[in-house]
Structure formats: C-alpha cells, structure tokens
Amino acid sequence: MMNAALAPAVKITGLEKSYGAYKVLHSISFSANKGEVVSILGASGSGKSTLLRCINMLEVPDAGEISIHGESYRLTQRSGFAPRAADPKQLLRLRSQATMVFQSFNLWSHLTILENLIEAPVHVQKRNRAECVAEAEALLERVGIADKRNFYPAHLSGGQQQRAAIARALAMRPKIMLFDEPTSALDPELVAEVLKVMRDLAAEGRTMLVVTHEMDFARDVSSRVLFLHKGLIEEDGRPEQVFSNPKSERFRQFISKHNA
Ligand code: ADP
Ligand code: MG
C-alpha cells in the first residue's frame, strides 16, 4: 500500500463500467489531491453519476482501480463473472471515507434529523453514541439547522433537508465528499443556502468531487474542472484556464449553453 500521507486523496486508474452492452465509462483515469475541489461537468447521460457511484462502490466497476488516501478497494476479478467487493469490512470502511450527497437528499424518512446523522456513525462505524450525538449537534449548528434536530425530514424545506444530508455525510468523518447535483432538485430560492455550506467546506480544505450545473460554483470555488463526454474526460484543467480557453469544442458549446 502507498504511504497514505503522500497519496492523492483519490486516484482512479482505467475505470470502466457498462450496463449490459452499453459502455458508460471508458477507461477513466484521474487523481485529486487533498483539499482539491473538483467540479465534474457534462451533459445528461455522460456518466457523471456512474463515476461518483463507482468511487464509493454503489456501482462496482468492470475494470480499473480506485484508491482513497492510498488504499485501493479490493475486488474479485474472476473471468466470466462481474467483479465484486472482495472484503465487506474494507468496503464499509472505504465507503464511509467517501460519503455521498445525492440530488434527492435521501434522508431516512422514518428517522429524525439527529437520528439520521448518528445512524451510520453508531451502527456502521461502531462509535460511541454520546460522542456521535455531540458531534451531530455541532454539525447541525454549522449548517444552520440545530433547531430542527428532532424534526422528521418531511417537515423541512428542500434546502434544509440537503443541509441535513451534508451534515450526515460529514458525521462519518469522511476523507473525501462526493456531491451528485446537490442543488438540482431545489427551488431556485433555496439553492444559495446549500451552495454557501459547500463553499465553507471548500474553504476549510475539504476534498470534494462535485457534479454540478452551477457554473459560478465550478468557476469560483473549484480548483479543477473535469468535463465528461460519453464516458470520457474531454477537458481537465483549472477553471480559469478551461473556461477562458477550452481545448474541447464540445466543452466550448457546453459553456455557452450554460451561460458561463
Ligand atoms: P449522468 O449522471 O451524467 O447524467 P449517468 O451516469 O447517470 O449519467 O448515466 C450514464 C448512462 O448510463 C445513461 O445513458 C444512463 O441511462 C445509463 N445508466 C445509468 N445507470 C444505469 C443502470 N443502473 N442501468 C442501466 N443503465 C444505466
Ligand atoms: Mg447524474
């Protein structure tokens, strides 16, 4: 195993994924350093969600390697069979180091907000309950919804639910955070409060991979922009470079369509 202190936050090598005969990801390779905020852009269907889902093994890739802080997921690779996670304990541990925030929040509707935050830390990570409650309360304070701790998700606005989902992801003490269009399901007036939380996380040096259509966020907050087209990375660079001088003609069209 690579020295974790020197390893990139996330390193992806030769990642491939098909659904049936349809190849969604074609040999994706990239790595992100600790503290980097990478915006992943691309048209609908280009493979953005699949890429994020492979990073925490919600989808198991057909080929390639994924490592988080120097540790690679161990997969079984028997010819004729789809690969599977080889080590359930490692899977749980690595997955909780790469927590996901979904477009549709995905809070557990039968649990209160506080219970949502402590569920995985207590039951998956086996941490002390009182410590998890204290940490969860501090996180709810941070995202500005401490007063909602005993509410059920249905009684919160979309923006509050997404901030709760971000706090829930933070409660796992992740090494990297994955955001899949975190503001796309929100009414326009609620987008800013979620982006504000994400900007604060970026400013404190969190490693984040963010699939987004928010061009201002991609331009102002991210240290790096990837543009995916049909399962391939077509553009990869610093925002000031790729927005002002894109190499890919398709990315140029994408930018002008999104008024960036
Ligand atoms: P994006 O997030 O960029 O819109 P996705 O990664 O969701 O793209 O999807 C890429 C392609 O893979 C799409 O054509 C989609 O229909 C297909 N796809 C995604 N998930 C599945 C699945 N579970 N089964 C079959 N096809 C899928
Ligand atoms: Mg998607």
Side-chain angles (χ1 to χ4, degrees), residues 167-179:
R168 181 178 62 171
L170 286 164
M172 305 282 280
R173 299 180 174 168
K175 291 184 168 149
I176 67 174
M177 298 181 79
L178 311 171
F179 294 84

PDB file of all heavy atoms in Angstrom, residues 167-179:
ATOM      1  N   ALA A 167     -24.663  17.457   6.478  1.00  0.00           N
ATOM      2  CA  ALA A 167     -24.217  17.209   7.855  1.00  0.00           C
ATOM      3  C   ALA A 167     -24.110  15.706   8.114  1.00  0.00           C
ATOM      4  O   ALA A 167     -23.180  15.236   8.777  1.00  0.00           O
ATOM      5  CB  ALA A 167     -25.180  17.864   8.846  1.00  0.00           C
ATOM      6  N   ARG A 168     -25.044  14.950   7.568  1.00  0.00           N
ATOM      7  CA  ARG A 168     -24.990  13.490   7.740  1.00  0.00           C
ATOM      8  C   ARG A 168     -23.730  12.909   7.086  1.00  0.00           C
ATOM      9  O   ARG A 168     -23.076  12.019   7.639  1.00  0.00           O
ATOM     10  CB  ARG A 168     -26.243  12.836   7.143  1.00  0.00           C
ATOM     11  CG  ARG A 168     -26.233  11.319   7.312  1.00  0.00           C
ATOM     12  CD  ARG A 168     -27.474  10.665   6.766  1.00  0.00           C
ATOM     13  NE  ARG A 168     -27.614  10.873   5.335  1.00  0.00           N
ATOM     14  CZ  ARG A 168     -28.518  10.273   4.584  1.00  0.00           C
ATOM     15  NH1 ARG A 168     -29.382   9.431   5.135  1.00  0.00           N
ATOM     16  NH2 ARG A 168     -28.593  10.518   3.302  1.00  0.00           N
ATOM     17  N   ALA A 169     -23.402  13.427   5.908  1.00  0.00           N
ATOM     18  CA  ALA A 169     -22.176  12.957   5.245  1.00  0.00           C
ATOM     19  C   ALA A 169     -20.948  13.315   6.086  1.00  0.00           C
ATOM     20  O   ALA A 169     -20.023  12.510   6.235  1.00  0.00           O
ATOM     21  CB  ALA A 169     -22.073  13.560   3.842  1.00  0.00           C
ATOM     22  N   LEU A 170     -20.947  14.515   6.670  1.00  0.00           N
ATOM     23  CA  LEU A 170     -19.808  14.950   7.500  1.00  0.00           C
ATOM     24  C   LEU A 170     -19.691  14.133   8.781  1.00  0.00           C
ATOM     25  O   LEU A 170     -18.582  13.955   9.308  1.00  0.00           O
ATOM     26  CB  LEU A 170     -19.966  16.429   7.870  1.00  0.00           C
ATOM     27  CG  LEU A 170     -19.708  17.434   6.750  1.00  0.00           C
ATOM     28  CD1 LEU A 170     -20.270  18.803   7.135  1.00  0.00           C
ATOM     29  CD2 LEU A 170     -18.215  17.536   6.457  1.00  0.00           C
ATOM     30  N   ALA A 171     -20.827  13.644   9.268  1.00  0.00           N
ATOM     31  CA  ALA A 171     -20.825  12.901  10.527  1.00  0.00           C
ATOM     32  C   ALA A 171     -20.021  11.605  10.442  1.00  0.00           C
ATOM     33  O   ALA A 171     -19.623  11.048  11.462  1.00  0.00           O
ATOM     34  CB  ALA A 171     -22.263  12.601  10.963  1.00  0.00           C
ATOM     35  N   MET A 172     -19.789  11.133   9.225  1.00  0.00           N
ATOM     36  CA  MET A 172     -18.971   9.924   9.028  1.00  0.00           C
ATOM     37  C   MET A 172     -17.472  10.240   9.094  1.00  0.00           C
ATOM     38  O   MET A 172     -16.655   9.350   8.935  1.00  0.00           O
ATOM     39  CB  MET A 172     -19.271   9.305   7.657  1.00  0.00           C
ATOM     40  CG  MET A 172     -20.721   8.995   7.404  1.00  0.00           C
ATOM     41  SD  MET A 172     -21.238   7.505   8.238  1.00  0.00           S
ATOM     42  CE  MET A 172     -20.613   6.264   7.112  1.00  0.00           C
ATOM     43  N   ARG A 173     -17.118  11.506   9.268  1.00  0.00           N
ATOM     44  CA  ARG A 173     -15.715  11.934   9.227  1.00  0.00           C
ATOM     45  C   ARG A 173     -15.031  11.465   7.936  1.00  0.00           C
ATOM     46  O   ARG A 173     -14.008  10.766   7.970  1.00  0.00           O
ATOM     47  CB  ARG A 173     -14.954  11.397  10.436  1.00  0.00           C
ATOM     48  CG  ARG A 173     -15.489  11.890  11.759  1.00  0.00           C
ATOM     49  CD  ARG A 173     -14.670  11.289  12.868  1.00  0.00           C
ATOM     50  NE  ARG A 173     -15.025  11.824  14.176  1.00  0.00           N
ATOM     51  CZ  ARG A 173     -14.597  11.285  15.317  1.00  0.00           C
ATOM     52  NH1 ARG A 173     -13.807  10.227  15.294  1.00  0.00           N
ATOM     53  NH2 ARG A 173     -14.927  11.811  16.455  1.00  0.00           N
ATOM     54  N   PRO A 174     -15.601  11.835   6.790  1.00  0.00           N
ATOM     55  CA  PRO A 174     -15.082  11.315   5.517  1.00  0.00           C
ATOM     56  C   PRO A 174     -13.735  11.930   5.143  1.00  0.00           C
ATOM     57  O   PRO A 174     -13.405  13.031   5.594  1.00  0.00           O
ATOM     58  CB  PRO A 174     -16.151  11.751   4.520  1.00  0.00           C
ATOM     59  CG  PRO A 174     -16.697  13.017   5.105  1.00  0.00           C
ATOM     60  CD  PRO A 174     -16.718  12.783   6.592  1.00  0.00           C
ATOM     61  N   LYS A 175     -13.005  11.218   4.311  1.00  0.00           N
ATOM     62  CA  LYS A 175     -11.774  11.777   3.749  1.00  0.00           C
ATOM     63  C   LYS A 175     -12.068  12.552   2.480  1.00  0.00           C
ATOM     64  O   LYS A 175     -11.375  13.516   2.164  1.00  0.00           O
ATOM     65  CB  LYS A 175     -10.782  10.656   3.476  1.00  0.00           C
ATOM     66  CG  LYS A 175     -10.260  10.061   4.783  1.00  0.00           C
ATOM     67  CD  LYS A 175      -9.200   9.022   4.553  1.00  0.00           C
ATOM     68  CE  LYS A 175      -8.535   8.701   5.884  1.00  0.00           C
ATOM     69  NZ  LYS A 175      -8.079   7.308   5.934  1.00  0.00           N
ATOM     70  N   ILE A 176     -13.057  12.093   1.725  1.00  0.00           N
ATOM     71  CA  ILE A 176     -13.499  12.866   0.562  1.00  0.00           C
ATOM     72  C   ILE A 176     -15.024  12.901   0.555  1.00  0.00           C
ATOM     73  O   ILE A 176     -15.680  12.014   1.099  1.00  0.00           O
ATOM     74  CB  ILE A 176     -12.967  12.301  -0.781  1.00  0.00           C
ATOM     75  CG1 ILE A 176     -13.571  10.929  -1.081  1.00  0.00           C
ATOM     76  CG2 ILE A 176     -11.452  12.195  -0.784  1.00  0.00           C
ATOM     77  CD1 ILE A 176     -13.189  10.407  -2.456  1.00  0.00           C
ATOM     78  N   MET A 177     -15.564  13.950  -0.060  1.00  0.00           N
ATOM     79  CA  MET A 177     -17.026  14.063  -0.155  1.00  0.00           C
ATOM     80  C   MET A 177     -17.430  14.104  -1.623  1.00  0.00           C
ATOM     81  O   MET A 177     -16.798  14.781  -2.432  1.00  0.00           O
ATOM     82  CB  MET A 177     -17.516  15.331   0.549  1.00  0.00           C
ATOM     83  CG  MET A 177     -17.201  15.313   2.042  1.00  0.00           C
ATOM     84  SD  MET A 177     -17.818  16.790   2.864  1.00  0.00           S
ATOM     85  CE  MET A 177     -19.568  16.377   3.031  1.00  0.00           C
ATOM     86  N   LEU A 178     -18.485  13.360  -1.933  1.00  0.00           N
ATOM     87  CA  LEU A 178     -18.980  13.254  -3.299  1.00  0.00           C
ATOM     88  C   LEU A 178     -20.353  13.904  -3.352  1.00  0.00           C
ATOM     89  O   LEU A 178     -21.230  13.559  -2.556  1.00  0.00           O
ATOM     90  CB  LEU A 178     -19.084  11.775  -3.697  1.00  0.00           C
ATOM     91  CG  LEU A 178     -17.856  10.910  -3.419  1.00  0.00           C
ATOM     92  CD1 LEU A 178     -18.164   9.433  -3.663  1.00  0.00           C
ATOM     93  CD2 LEU A 178     -16.682  11.352  -4.297  1.00  0.00           C
ATOM     94  N   PHE A 179     -20.527  14.855  -4.237  1.00  0.00           N
ATOM     95  CA  PHE A 179     -21.816  15.550  -4.369  1.00  0.00           C
ATOM     96  C   PHE A 179     -22.369  15.301  -5.768  1.00  0.00           C
ATOM     97  O   PHE A 179     -21.713  15.640  -6.750  1.00  0.00           O
ATOM     98  CB  PHE A 179     -21.648  17.065  -4.186  1.00  0.00           C
ATOM     99  CG  PHE A 179     -21.234  17.496  -2.801  1.00  0.00           C
ATOM    100  CD1 PHE A 179     -19.900  17.484  -2.423  1.00  0.00           C
ATOM    101  CD2 PHE A 179     -22.178  17.943  -1.887  1.00  0.00           C
ATOM    102  CE1 PHE A 179     -19.508  17.906  -1.155  1.00  0.00           C
ATOM    103  CE2 PHE A 179     -21.805  18.364  -0.616  1.00  0.00           C
ATOM    104  CZ  PHE A 179     -20.463  18.340  -0.246  1.00  0.00           C
TER     105      PHE A 179
END
